[in-house]
Amino acid sequence: MTTTASTPTVDERPSATAPAPRGRRAHTRRRHGFGFWAVAFAFTAVMAFATVPAPLYVIYQQRDGFPTFTTTIVFAAYGVGVVGSLWLAGHLSDVHGRRPLILVSIALELVAAVVFLVWNDVAGLLVARLVTGLGVGTLTATATAHLGELRVRATGDEGSAKTASVAAGVVNLGGLSLGALIGGALAEFVGQPLMVPYEVFLVALVIAFVLVLAVPETVDRPSEPVPYHPQRLQAPAGKAGAFWTAGTAAFAALAVQGLFTSVAPTFLGTTFHVTDRLAAGATTFGVFAASALSQVVFARLAQRTQIRLGMVLLVGGLAVLAVSAVVLQVGGFIGGGVVAGAGVGLLFRASIGSAGALVGPSQRGGVLAATFLIAYAGLTVPVVAVGAALLVVPTLPVLIGYVVVVAVLAVVAGTRLAARA
């Protein structure tokens, strides 16, 4: 996810007549270096918290006896929260600063953790997941831009923005993978599986909030008030084709992830009779971990090559997953998901990076927010459609139809994205 530095803040801008003293420059770089790691930790904690319930849905379902469609509605509440906050607030860090928006995001996640703990039924799940989504939507574009700016100021090298881009992608998807694994492990090996995971993350989020309080700001607030407006789903002037291509590729990528954070754990239990909570969490972890790892392993490849490799892995993995579902091979189902996840990581990073490179720093938060808005629609809309279809159509045809649609969308958008790379 490509980011570059914004204009330095007033309190850290060197004198126009003389360079800043060497000691002061070193101190400033250390502060920004600390800020980079603090934001990376907060980003990881928030994204991990977002997937903690994935392996727990089966427990809620068994306890309360609700159908799979209810699980998709609970998941959809999360998606609505993400999309809603991206639309309403995802771009505001360009005006009000990165740090305040990140603190708001963490505060929302803390509220969600408390709701999970004290309101432990379907209605509480819906509210908690909605608030979780609000926090994630507020964070993603803001933290992505902030990491790049902090890294550049910590190193004094504009080229280090590329390193921050890889880090942001790894933290985003890696955090999502860790949450599912930690949630599944705690649910399997620790008592009170619907309480302890949230208590653990409540502590982690408090630590993240305290750390971010000490992070330097990288955006100058305008001297004049800026009229508020929701995020516009509008391409930068003269770059509509590139913007919508990037958005569509991101939509397709997260549609794969949506499958593994909503109905896949239930599918494992009902079709393959895998009821182990750690196994459910490990499956989601494997898909998201592959997404994060592929960005690191293939970072040195040219962007066009990464996109093409991502398409091959995504489509090939989905094909293996679908065939395994037909012949009831659980290993192939999980393995296909992991391979597809590796492709998702490459395609998603290329999409966000391409979108972020379309504009300068002063507009980057808004453009990234718009792209994430499209991407998280891919995480939500197809999953709700699957849940509705499962009310009237057997599981297997729904799964195969989902795979075909997502694969076609990924190939079409990925081909166009590669041509523009």
Side-chain angles (χ1 to χ4, degrees), residues 173 291 294-296 298-299 301 305-307 309-311 313 341-351:
L173 296 173
S291 298
S294 67
Q295 296 180 54
V296 177
F298 301 111
L301 296 179
T305 304
Q306 289 188 39
I307 295 168
L309 178 60
M311 286 192 294
L313 292 172
V344 165
L346 295 175
L347 192 60
F348 184 70
R349 178 179 177 272
S351 302

Side-chain angles (χ1 to χ4, degrees), residues 104-409:
V104 168
S105 168
I106 300 171
L108 287 168
E109 301 305 322
L110 287 168
V111 171
V114 172
V115 173
F116 274 122
L117 290 169
V118 303
W119 193 358
N120 201 249
D121 58 16
V122 174
L125 274 178
L126 285 168
V127 172
R129 290 301 281 162
L130 176 65
V131 176
T132 300
L134 290 172
V136 169
T138 304
L139 178 78
T140 47
T142 301
T144 299
H146 204 190
L147 283 173
E149 294 157 1
L150 288 166
R151 182 66 178 174
V152 168
R153 296 192 186 188
T155 62
D157 177 14
E158 292 286 341
S160 64
K162 183 177 181 180
T163 303
S165 170
V166 175
V170 170
V171 166
N172 191 334
L173 296 173
L176 291 169
S177 70
L178 285 174
L181 183 65
I182 293 170
L186 291 174
E188 185 65 25
F189 299 119
V190 179
Q192 296 182 300
L194 300 183
M195 299 291 286
V196 173
Y198 305 122
E199 292 169 346
V200 168
F201 273 90
L202 187 66
V203 174
L205 290 166
V206 168
I207 294 171
F209 189 92
V210 173
L211 289 174
V212 172
L213 286 173
V215 172
E217 183 55 70
T218 56
V219 171
D220 282 330
R221 297 187 181 185
S223 57
E224 299 293 332
V226 177
Y228 170 77
H229 60 78
Q231 171 63 46
R232 297 186 178 97
L233 263 182
Q234 183 176 357
K239 299 177 180 178
F243 173 78
W244 288 108
T245 294
T248 304
F251 180 101
L254 287 200
V256 176
Q257 307 296 53
L259 180 68
F260 281 90
T261 52
S262 58
V263 297
T266 300
F267 188 86
L268 280 172
T270 57
T271 302
F272 293 109
H273 307 293
V274 177
T275 57
D276 185 274
R277 298 159 186 170
L278 180 58
T283 299
T284 303
F285 168 80
V287 175
F288 281 97
S291 298
L293 187 61
S294 67
Q295 296 180 54
V296 177
V297 172
F298 301 111
R300 293 185 179 275
L301 296 179
Q303 188 181 49
R304 182 173 297 172
T305 304
Q306 289 188 39
I307 295 168
R308 289 172 175 168
L309 178 60
M311 286 192 294
V312 170
L313 292 172
L314 189 151
V315 174
L318 288 179
V320 171
L321 181 149
V323 171
S324 300
V326 172
V327 300
L328 296 179
Q329 288 291 325
V330 66
F333 182 86
I334 296 172
V338 170
V339 173
V344 165
L346 295 175
L347 192 60
F348 184 70
R349 178 179 177 272
S351 302
I352 300 302
S354 298
L358 294 176
V359 295
S362 64
Q363 297 177 285
R364 183 161 292 122
V367 169
L368 286 173
T371 309
F372 276 113
L373 181 57
I374 299 170
Y376 276 95
L379 192 71
T380 307
V381 175
V383 171
V384 175
V386 165
L390 287 173
L391 294 175
V392 293
V393 181
T395 303
L396 188 58
V398 171
L399 178 68
I400 293 175
Y402 189 99
V403 164
V404 170
V405 171
V406 172
V408 170
L409 196 61

Side-chain angles (χ1 to χ4, degrees), residues 41-143:
F41 174 78
F43 201 173
T44 302
V46 170
M47 300 310 291
F49 180 68
T51 54
V52 164
L56 309 181
Y57 286 140
V58 175
I59 305 175
Y60 285 112
Q61 192 171 0
Q62 291 172 346
R63 187 194 68 181
D64 298 334
F66 55 74
T68 301
F69 180 66
T70 301
T71 300
T72 63
I73 294 301
V74 171
F75 179 80
Y78 164 75
V80 169
V82 174
V83 171
S85 62
L86 279 167
W87 181 57
L88 294 172
H91 58 302
L92 294 183
S93 70
D94 285 344
V95 176
H96 300 292
R98 312 296 188 204
R99 185 176 60 188
L101 269 292
I102 294 175
L103 290 172
V104 168
S105 168
I106 300 171
L108 287 168
E109 301 305 322
L110 287 168
V111 171
V114 172
V115 173
F116 274 122
L117 290 169
V118 303
W119 193 358
N120 201 249
D121 58 16
V122 174
L125 274 178
L126 285 168
V127 172
R129 290 301 281 162
L130 176 65
V131 176
T132 300
L134 290 172
V136 169
T138 304
L139 178 78
T140 47
T142 301

